[in-house]
Amino acid sequence: MEEEAGHERQARAYEAVHEASDFTELKRRYKNFVVPWTIAFMAWYLAYVACNNWARGFMSHRVVGHINVALIFGLLQFVSTFVIAAVYGRFANRKLDPLAAGLNAKYKRERRR
């Protein structure tokens, strides 16, 4: 019986958080960050793959010694991944975490009711 009451409180708390305007704002901010960056990264990645398949002359062009354009593009894939992760971390710390902390506090308050 006590376990059932706990589940009911948890469900009510989740519903209260889900209906909060801060939750909607959190989802909106997250989506507005993730969607454009995902599209940009996928376009960059697909350009790399397309160039490796259909622009072999360009990709095999030597820049310095045995380092060619393909190697530089490949390394830039890793660099861009880390840059996006760092930008997201900074964005989340400034724009998402304060809202999430408030929602978490609301959830804990609602569970105690």
Side-chain angles (χ1 to χ4, degrees):
M1 186 75 169
E2 188 177 315
E3 186 177 323
E4 190 175 304
H7 288 298
E8 190 174 311
R9 280 194 312 271
Q10 187 174 359
R12 269 196 327 266
Y14 177 78
E15 287 174 16
V17 168
H18 187 266
E19 293 169 1
S21 61
D22 281 353
F23 185 72
T24 304
E25 179 64 16
L26 180 67
K27 289 190 317 182
R28 185 191 68 76
R29 288 180 187 183
Y30 176 78
K31 183 182 71 170
N32 286 345
F33 181 90
V34 169
V35 170
W37 279 98
T38 300
I39 291 169
F41 181 80
M42 289 304 296
W44 161 234
Y45 174 74
L46 292 174
Y48 172 63
V49 170
C51 286
N52 274 321
N53 283 324
W54 295 292
R56 291 186 178 234
F58 170 68
M59 295 301 272
S60 64
H61 177 77
R62 288 188 178 192
V63 178
V64 176
H66 293 290
I67 298 173
N68 61 15
V69 173
L71 179 63
I72 292 171
F73 271 34
L75 292 173
L76 286 175
Q77 289 291 315
F78 286 103
V79 170
S80 64
T81 300
F82 289 110
V83 167
I84 292 170
V87 169
Y88 175 76
R90 189 164 183 251
F91 171 79
N93 286 336
R94 287 184 300 113
K95 300 289 185 175
L96 302 180
D97 290 351
L99 284 175
L103 290 168
N104 189 37
K106 179 180 180 117
Y107 176 77
K108 287 179 181 178
R109 279 192 311 272
E110 292 291 328
R111 276 193 69 182
R112 281 189 238 121
R113 283 183 171 190

